[in-house]
Amino acid sequence: MTIVPSIKRDYIAKIAEEGKRIDGRGFDQYRKIEIETNVVNKAEGSARVKIGNTQVLCGIKMDIGTPFPDTPASGVMSTAAEFVPLASPDFESGPPREDAIELARVVDRGVRESQVIQIEKLCIAPGEKVWLVFIDIHILDYDGNLFDAASLAALAALSTTKVPVSRFLKDLSESDRASWQERLLESYTIPGVDEVPFGANSNSTPIKDFPLPMTEPPISCTAVKINDCIMFDPCFDEEVIADVRLTVATDHKGDIRAMQKGLSGSFSKEEIQKVIKGALDNGQEIRKKLYHSIGK
């Protein structure tokens, strides 16, 4: 540890013992959260999220490809994260960093294990053609707590995603287009609605893009422990000197959907319960912000 983090640790730990944080927040309090959707015109869905000075951009691209052999009737989801060098002096160009891979996996797990995307509805022809969903996360400005910012950006982007049916059909020959229209009409319905989203049949109404089939999203909340103090939404200085980190994703029912521990320290059973309680409370408020941003 360098001399600067040592000084920061002593100062942050000292004021934490007095129940204070360096930016004046309470231990369970998040920084200001801003969510903006549809920020990338070329993407099927996109969102930019700011938590304090941390800023993350997420774009969703979709294509048609072959399903995995063990899930022939389900779509495919893939998540990747890029640490843009301008976001922090510590970020460099080149292959994905270890922490970028971890970030992508945590976001992917939260979405996948919660079954936010109804991938069974993304099958066009079992064993032959399915929709592929690519979640691309870009860190634009880093000031701590990338896990929550990236997860929230991914959820907001997915919630505004349209399945690009028209783009796919546009590239086909007239005979192939008629055949695929018939398949698509048999495959898709808007979640919760009994009619197809693009008309009664392929001869009368052209197929239109429709919302990505989704369920209720989980909300990830991250806390760190510095000595014996647990703080949610750590800023950069708190994150750098933290002993251990825990991210908990909960759904609208209050069920835990994913958990990820980081760093070399440990939590007691009581501390884990405290983090879960804080994640549930903060998750309810963050979910309201997400719903507001997508007009729900």
mmCIF file of all heavy atoms in Angstrom, residues 35 37 285-296:
data_model
loop_
_atom_site.group_PDB
_atom_site.id
_atom_site.type_symbol
_atom_site.label_atom_id
_atom_site.label_comp_id
_atom_site.label_asym_id
_atom_site.label_seq_id
_atom_site.Cartn_x
_atom_site.Cartn_y
_atom_site.Cartn_z
ATOM 1 N N ILE A 35 -30.466 8.492 -14.496
ATOM 2 C CA ILE A 35 -30.616 7.476 -15.539
ATOM 3 C C ILE A 35 -31.189 8.128 -16.791
ATOM 4 O O ILE A 35 -32.247 8.753 -16.746
ATOM 5 C CB ILE A 35 -31.553 6.335 -15.090
ATOM 6 C CG1 ILE A 35 -31.103 5.759 -13.745
ATOM 7 C CG2 ILE A 35 -31.601 5.246 -16.151
ATOM 8 C CD1 ILE A 35 -32.082 4.759 -13.159
ATOM 9 N N THR A 37 -32.110 7.190 -20.839
ATOM 10 C CA THR A 37 -32.246 6.089 -21.794
ATOM 11 C C THR A 37 -32.227 6.593 -23.232
ATOM 12 O O THR A 37 -32.360 7.789 -23.499
ATOM 13 C CB THR A 37 -33.554 5.320 -21.547
ATOM 14 O OG1 THR A 37 -34.666 6.226 -21.646
ATOM 15 C CG2 THR A 37 -33.548 4.686 -20.168
ATOM 16 N N GLU A 285 -35.882 1.887 -3.577
ATOM 17 C CA GLU A 285 -35.800 3.274 -4.055
ATOM 18 C C GLU A 285 -35.155 3.355 -5.439
ATOM 19 O O GLU A 285 -35.598 4.128 -6.296
ATOM 20 C CB GLU A 285 -35.003 4.117 -3.057
ATOM 21 C CG GLU A 285 -35.668 4.242 -1.689
ATOM 22 C CD GLU A 285 -37.077 4.801 -1.787
ATOM 23 O OE1 GLU A 285 -37.268 5.795 -2.520
ATOM 24 O OE2 GLU A 285 -37.983 4.241 -1.145
ATOM 25 N N ILE A 286 -34.118 2.552 -5.658
ATOM 26 C CA ILE A 286 -33.447 2.564 -6.963
ATOM 27 C C ILE A 286 -34.379 2.018 -8.043
ATOM 28 O O ILE A 286 -34.397 2.509 -9.177
ATOM 29 C CB ILE A 286 -32.143 1.752 -6.896
ATOM 30 C CG1 ILE A 286 -31.161 2.421 -5.929
ATOM 31 C CG2 ILE A 286 -31.508 1.631 -8.284
ATOM 32 C CD1 ILE A 286 -29.902 1.622 -5.678
ATOM 33 N N ARG A 287 -35.178 1.006 -7.688
ATOM 34 C CA ARG A 287 -36.131 0.453 -8.655
ATOM 35 C C ARG A 287 -37.140 1.509 -9.102
ATOM 36 O O ARG A 287 -37.526 1.571 -10.277
ATOM 37 C CB ARG A 287 -36.848 -0.753 -8.049
ATOM 38 C CG ARG A 287 -37.797 -1.445 -9.043
ATOM 39 C CD ARG A 287 -38.381 -2.745 -8.480
ATOM 40 N NE ARG A 287 -37.365 -3.805 -8.502
ATOM 41 C CZ ARG A 287 -36.714 -4.222 -7.424
ATOM 42 N NH1 ARG A 287 -36.981 -3.686 -6.235
ATOM 43 N NH2 ARG A 287 -35.813 -5.174 -7.507
ATOM 44 N N LYS A 288 -37.557 2.361 -8.187
ATOM 45 C CA LYS A 288 -38.477 3.450 -8.547
ATOM 46 C C LYS A 288 -37.832 4.386 -9.568
ATOM 47 O O LYS A 288 -38.492 4.826 -10.514
ATOM 48 C CB LYS A 288 -38.868 4.239 -7.288
ATOM 49 C CG LYS A 288 -39.736 3.472 -6.304
ATOM 50 C CD LYS A 288 -40.010 4.305 -5.072
ATOM 51 C CE LYS A 288 -40.802 3.531 -4.030
ATOM 52 N NZ LYS A 288 -41.036 4.339 -2.807
ATOM 53 N N LYS A 289 -36.557 4.687 -9.388
ATOM 54 C CA LYS A 289 -35.846 5.551 -10.339
ATOM 55 C C LYS A 289 -35.740 4.880 -11.702
ATOM 56 O O LYS A 289 -35.884 5.526 -12.745
ATOM 57 C CB LYS A 289 -34.445 5.889 -9.794
ATOM 58 C CG LYS A 289 -34.448 6.731 -8.545
ATOM 59 C CD LYS A 289 -33.022 7.013 -8.083
ATOM 60 C CE LYS A 289 -33.006 7.833 -6.789
ATOM 61 N NZ LYS A 289 -33.536 9.198 -6.999
ATOM 62 N N LEU A 290 -35.477 3.562 -11.688
ATOM 63 C CA LEU A 290 -35.396 2.816 -12.956
ATOM 64 C C LEU A 290 -36.731 2.855 -13.676
ATOM 65 O O LEU A 290 -36.791 3.132 -14.877
ATOM 66 C CB LEU A 290 -34.971 1.380 -12.677
ATOM 67 C CG LEU A 290 -34.994 0.424 -13.873
ATOM 68 C CD1 LEU A 290 -34.036 0.889 -14.952
ATOM 69 C CD2 LEU A 290 -34.677 -1.005 -13.439
ATOM 70 N N TYR A 291 -37.817 2.574 -12.957
ATOM 71 C CA TYR A 291 -39.141 2.579 -13.563
ATOM 72 C C TYR A 291 -39.475 3.966 -14.137
ATOM 73 O O TYR A 291 -40.050 4.081 -15.226
ATOM 74 C CB TYR A 291 -40.196 2.183 -12.529
ATOM 75 C CG TYR A 291 -40.217 0.709 -12.192
ATOM 76 C CD1 TYR A 291 -40.899 0.249 -11.066
ATOM 77 C CD2 TYR A 291 -39.572 -0.235 -12.981
ATOM 78 C CE1 TYR A 291 -40.938 -1.104 -10.743
ATOM 79 C CE2 TYR A 291 -39.603 -1.577 -12.680
ATOM 80 C CZ TYR A 291 -40.275 -2.012 -11.556
ATOM 81 O OH TYR A 291 -40.312 -3.336 -11.245
ATOM 82 N N HIS A 292 -39.135 4.995 -13.390
ATOM 83 C CA HIS A 292 -39.407 6.352 -13.873
ATOM 84 C C HIS A 292 -38.650 6.639 -15.167
ATOM 85 O O HIS A 292 -39.197 7.259 -16.077
ATOM 86 C CB HIS A 292 -39.024 7.367 -12.800
ATOM 87 C CG HIS A 292 -39.233 8.791 -13.204
ATOM 88 N ND1 HIS A 292 -40.480 9.374 -13.286
ATOM 89 C CD2 HIS A 292 -38.335 9.750 -13.592
ATOM 90 C CE1 HIS A 292 -40.363 10.625 -13.686
ATOM 91 N NE2 HIS A 292 -39.079 10.870 -13.879
ATOM 92 N N SER A 293 -37.410 6.167 -15.257
ATOM 93 C CA SER A 293 -36.591 6.457 -16.435
ATOM 94 C C SER A 293 -37.107 5.770 -17.689
ATOM 95 O O SER A 293 -36.888 6.246 -18.808
ATOM 96 C CB SER A 293 -35.134 6.030 -16.184
ATOM 97 O OG SER A 293 -35.007 4.619 -16.172
ATOM 98 N N ILE A 294 -37.788 4.614 -17.525
ATOM 99 C CA ILE A 294 -38.292 3.894 -18.683
ATOM 100 C C ILE A 294 -39.797 4.117 -18.886
ATOM 101 O O ILE A 294 -40.427 3.446 -19.706
ATOM 102 C CB ILE A 294 -37.992 2.374 -18.561
ATOM 103 C CG1 ILE A 294 -38.689 1.776 -17.341
ATOM 104 C CG2 ILE A 294 -36.496 2.137 -18.491
ATOM 105 C CD1 ILE A 294 -38.486 0.269 -17.189
ATOM 106 N N GLY A 295 -40.352 5.056 -18.102
ATOM 107 C CA GLY A 295 -41.759 5.395 -18.254
ATOM 108 C C GLY A 295 -42.716 4.339 -17.775
ATOM 109 O O GLY A 295 -43.821 4.181 -18.313
ATOM 110 N N LYS A 296 -42.306 3.618 -16.737
ATOM 111 C CA LYS A 296 -43.164 2.544 -16.222
ATOM 112 C C LYS A 296 -43.847 2.965 -14.928
ATOM 113 O O LYS A 296 -43.238 3.639 -14.102
ATOM 114 C CB LYS A 296 -42.310 1.296 -15.963
ATOM 115 C CG LYS A 296 -43.108 0.079 -15.547
ATOM 116 C CD LYS A 296 -42.223 -1.143 -15.488
ATOM 117 C CE LYS A 296 -43.028 -2.371 -15.058
ATOM 118 N NZ LYS A 296 -42.181 -3.591 -15.012
#
